[in-house]
């Protein structure tokens, strides 16, 4: 037993020397600088610190006051930190400071000082971490953020960042301009508290659960090209096309970013083009294409027919008006007749001009025979009321042909139009019929 103890004691110096050798290797190859100073003088500096200070040889550093390599504003705080280290093994908090290199340039570092045994006495060992790469990365990030902020601020597209609780974190100038708000009125405000009325594509109030950014926050899904309306506090109505996505999809607490374009003018232009493509430019009534489209939709319905009857209206003797009084007066007559027809019909009925002095009416719902006769009589009386145009007193009569639709009707819209046209010719006074027509057996009758 004593021999074993003796052998263990004999191995202690060798083990300690091996441990010390390992420690010196770690220090020599450490990527961080390590310096030891006692009584204010440097007694050791590892290769990393020599490179950090730009020293060619250890003698450029060792033996010199440690304060020679510390920027003047950092000297007093450093001395105060090491003054507080009174017990071996205690360390200072990590602290950023500026060191002076041998070439006179400065370098930003983070240091930790430890009071430790050095040979037979205490000294201060300092671990020095070079912050140059970190500072460069931070500077690059700041430049990128500044560039991003500058770009976003110049966008015509509105951009808003909204946190998980639905509060606005940031909004670019375009967003504030589109919303009609100043920055201080937006930042920190919950989107439910903004006095803005959001509308769906049909201009009806939209529940907040439909908001694209709310959907994104709730589900994480991207929403693209979502069109909605916005009634601003100043009374303006704007139409927007919005996209929303999580700012960082990998982060469960990520805010959402919503971007949107003001498409009010585009929407108005498109609607104007659609209107022009489907309406008669002279009277503003539906044109032939739109009327036949509505008729096709009605014929394609398998349930209750939305259109019960089709009226073909032709103005008697209108050609004489054009030939004797001119097309300008003829156009005025058509415009007035169109207005009278609209006033004489129900809100759900459709009236269109299909060409020249010919009009087509789609009567909605189920119209009883007696009611239909009364309606046709009213339309003819309204149309025949005198029209004063540029000093001329003009009276026009109308011939009306009717064809009824029925469940399972297999006719095409053009066939229905043809049948109503035939019925109208049968209804014309003899002196206005231009040619005899073959009578058909169908659901048409003349009025």
């Amino acid at each position: 037993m004593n021999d074993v103890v003796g052998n263990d004691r004999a191995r202690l110096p060798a083990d300690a020397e091996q441990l010390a050798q390992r420690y010196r290797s770690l220090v020599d190859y450490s990527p961080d600088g390590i310096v030891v100073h006692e009584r204010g003088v440097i007694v050791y500096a590892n290769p990393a610190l020599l490179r950090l200070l730009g020293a060619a040889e250890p003698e450029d550093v060792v033996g010199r006051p440690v304060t020679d390599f510390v920027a003047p504003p950092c000297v007093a705080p450093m001395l105060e930190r090491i003054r507080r280290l009174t017990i071996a093994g205690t360390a200072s908090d990590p602290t950023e400071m500026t060191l002076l290199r041998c070439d006179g340039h400065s370098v930003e570092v983070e240091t930790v000082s430890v009071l430790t045994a050095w040979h037979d006495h205490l000294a201060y060992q300092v671990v020095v971490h070079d912050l140059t790469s970190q500072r460069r990365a931070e500077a690059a990030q700041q430049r990128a953020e500044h560039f991003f902020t500058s770009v976003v601020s110049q966008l015509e597209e509105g951009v808003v960042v909204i946190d998980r609780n639905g509060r606005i974190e940031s909004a670019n100038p375009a967003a504030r301009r589109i919303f009609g708000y100043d920055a201080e009125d937006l930042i920190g405000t919950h989107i439910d508290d903004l006095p803005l009325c959001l509308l769906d594509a049909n201009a009806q109030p939209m529940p907040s659960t439909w908001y694209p950014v709310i959907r994104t926050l709730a589900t994480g899904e991207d929403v693209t090209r979502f069109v909605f309306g916005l009634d601003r506090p100043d009374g303006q109505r704007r139409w927007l096309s919005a996209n929303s996505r999580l700012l960082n999809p990998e982060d469960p607490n990520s805010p959402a970013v919503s971007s949107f374009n003001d498409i009010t003018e585009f929407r108005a232009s498109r609607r104007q083009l659609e209107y022009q493509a489907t309406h008669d430019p002279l009277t503003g009534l539906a044109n032939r294409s739109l009327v036949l489209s509505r008729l096709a939709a009605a014929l394609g319905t398998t349930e209750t027919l939305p259109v019960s009857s089709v009226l073909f209206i032709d103005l008697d003797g209108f050609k004489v008006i054009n030939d004797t009084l001119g097309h300008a007066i003829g156009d005025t007559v058509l415009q007035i007749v169109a207005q009278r027809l609209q006033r004489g019909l129900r809100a759900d009925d459709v009236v269109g001009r299909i060409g020249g002095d010919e009009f087509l009416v789609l009567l909605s719902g189920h119209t009883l025979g007696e009611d239909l006769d009364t309606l046709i009589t009213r339309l003819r009386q309204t149309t025949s009321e005198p029209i004063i145009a540029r000093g001329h007193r003009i009276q026009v009569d109308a011939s009306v042909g009717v064809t009824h639709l029925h469940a399972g009707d297999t006719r095409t819209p053009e066939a229905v139009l043809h049948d109503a046209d035939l019925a109208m010719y049968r209804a014309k006074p003899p002196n206005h019929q231009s040619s005899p027509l073959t009578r058909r057996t169908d659901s048409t009758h003349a009025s």
Side-chain angles (χ1 to χ4, degrees):
M1 180 69 177
N2 290 335
D3 291 341
V4 173
V5 173
N7 291 336
D8 288 344
R9 288 177 177 174
R11 286 199 298 269
L12 284 177
D15 291 344
E17 179 60 29
Q18 187 178 24
L19 183 61
Q21 182 61 38
R22 289 177 181 174
Y23 177 74
R24 282 193 295 269
S25 296
L26 289 174
V27 170
D28 286 342
Y29 292 106
S30 171
D32 285 333
I34 296 177
V35 60
V36 179
H37 63 90
E38 55 177 321
R39 291 187 291 273
V41 177
I42 296 175
V43 296
Y44 171 80
N46 76 340
L49 185 73
L50 297 179
R51 291 193 298 270
L52 182 62
L53 296 179
E57 302 291 340
E59 290 73 16
D60 295 336
V61 175
V62 176
R64 293 179 57 179
V66 68
T67 53
D68 285 357
F69 301 97
V70 179
C74 300
V75 171
M78 179 195 71
L79 295 177
E80 176 61 23
R81 284 195 301 277
I82 63 176
R83 185 186 66 80
R84 296 175 182 173
L85 302 179
T86 58
I87 302 175
T90 57
S92 65
D93 293 331
T95 305
E96 293 183 6
M97 61 186 298
T98 304
L99 299 186
L100 298 178
R101 289 166 48 91
C102 295
D103 58 10
H105 291 90
S106 61
V107 57
E108 298 295 319
V109 299
E110 182 181 70
T111 65
V112 175
S113 298
V114 181
L115 183 61
T116 185
W118 179 257
H119 298 296
D120 297 331
H121 44 271
L122 295 177
Y124 297 98
Q125 178 176 294
V126 184
V127 179
V128 183
H129 177 66
D130 186 358
L131 295 178
T132 302
S133 297
Q134 180 179 332
R135 290 288 185 264
R136 287 175 181 168
E138 291 173 349
Q141 182 177 355
Q142 289 177 352
R143 288 193 300 271
E145 290 176 351
H146 178 71
F147 176 76
F148 175 77
T149 302
S150 298
V151 169
V152 171
S153 67
Q154 298 299 319
L155 290 176
E156 290 296 319
E157 184 179 34
V159 179
V160 174
V161 176
I162 299 174
D163 68 17
R164 302 296 303 183
N165 296 319
R167 297 190 180 278
I168 296 176
E169 290 186 350
S170 65
N172 72 340
R176 299 193 292 267
R177 183 176 65 252
I178 292 171
F179 287 165
Y181 273 91
D182 293 330
E184 55 270 18
D185 296 326
L186 284 177
I187 308 303
T189 303
H190 195 282
I191 56 177
D192 287 340
D193 295 333
L194 293 173
L196 301 169
C197 180
L198 270 61
L199 312 170
D200 62 22
N202 297 315
Q204 298 300 311
M206 183 168 61
S208 59
T209 53
W210 288 16
Y211 295 1
V213 70
I214 294 297
R215 285 170 50 191
T216 295
L217 288 172
T219 66
E221 69 180 23
D222 293 352
V223 179
T224 60
R225 298 181 182 178
F226 184 90
V227 175
F228 65 95
L230 179 74
D231 282 344
R232 303 190 338 173
D234 59 7
Q236 289 190 42
R237 173 170 293 179
R238 313 301 294 177
W239 288 95
L240 310 179
S241 175
N243 304 303
S244 66
R245 60 179 298 275
L246 292 179
L247 200 58
N248 181 8
E250 304 301 323
D251 182 3
N253 296 316
S254 171
V257 58
S258 177
S259 59
F260 40 88
N261 290 307
D262 189 334
I263 61 170
T264 306
E265 284 70 25
F266 170 77
R267 182 183 172 94
S269 298
R270 188 181 68 180
R271 291 199 167 214
Q272 181 64 24
L273 291 174
E274 291 174 351
Y275 182 87
Q276 292 174 353
T278 57
H279 288 76
D280 173 46
L282 177 63
T283 63
L285 298 179
N287 62 13
R288 182 188 185 95
S289 174
L290 179 57
V291 172
L292 292 181
S293 175
R294 297 284 180 85
L295 183 54
L299 289 168
T301 303
T302 57
E303 300 176 356
T304 303
L305 287 173
V307 175
S308 61
S309 304
V310 177
L311 278 57
F312 193 110
I313 302 175
D314 179 80
L315 303 184
D316 299 332
F318 181 76
K319 184 175 183 301
V320 177
I321 297 175
N322 273 340
D323 292 343
T324 58
L325 301 179
H327 287 278
I329 291 181
D331 288 347
T332 300
V333 170
L334 290 174
Q335 290 170 336
I336 293 174
V337 169
Q339 294 170 7
R340 290 178 177 178
L341 290 175
Q342 282 184 305
R343 289 197 301 266
L345 294 168
R346 298 163 300 183
D348 293 337
D349 298 331
V350 176
V351 56
R353 180 184 176 217
I354 59 175
D357 60 339
E358 297 173 338
F359 300 85
L360 201 68
V361 175
L362 308 182
L363 296 180
S364 64
H366 180 66
T367 306
L368 299 176
E370 184 177 342
D371 294 335
L372 179 59
D373 292 338
T374 301
L375 173 63
I376 292 174
T377 299
R378 184 171 71 247
L379 290 178
R380 294 182 64 183
Q381 290 175 345
T382 300
T383 304
S384 65
E385 292 177 0
I387 296 173
I388 306 300
R390 300 189 181 184
H392 296 279
R393 182 184 176 88
I394 303 168
Q395 183 172 358
V396 293
D397 293 320
S399 296
V400 181
V402 182
T403 184
H404 302 290
L405 304 187
H406 54 82
D409 204 320
T410 60
R411 288 177 294 172
T412 65
E414 290 76 11
V416 173
L417 178 62
H418 176 72
D419 291 345
D421 187 15
L422 286 177
M424 180 274 299
Y425 268 99
R426 297 189 188 112
K428 270 189 176 294
N431 59 324
H432 286 292
Q433 272 185 279
S434 56
S435 62
L437 296 173
T438 303
R439 180 178 295 274
R440 289 181 50 175
T441 304
D442 51 30
S443 58
T444 64
H445 74 266
S447 300

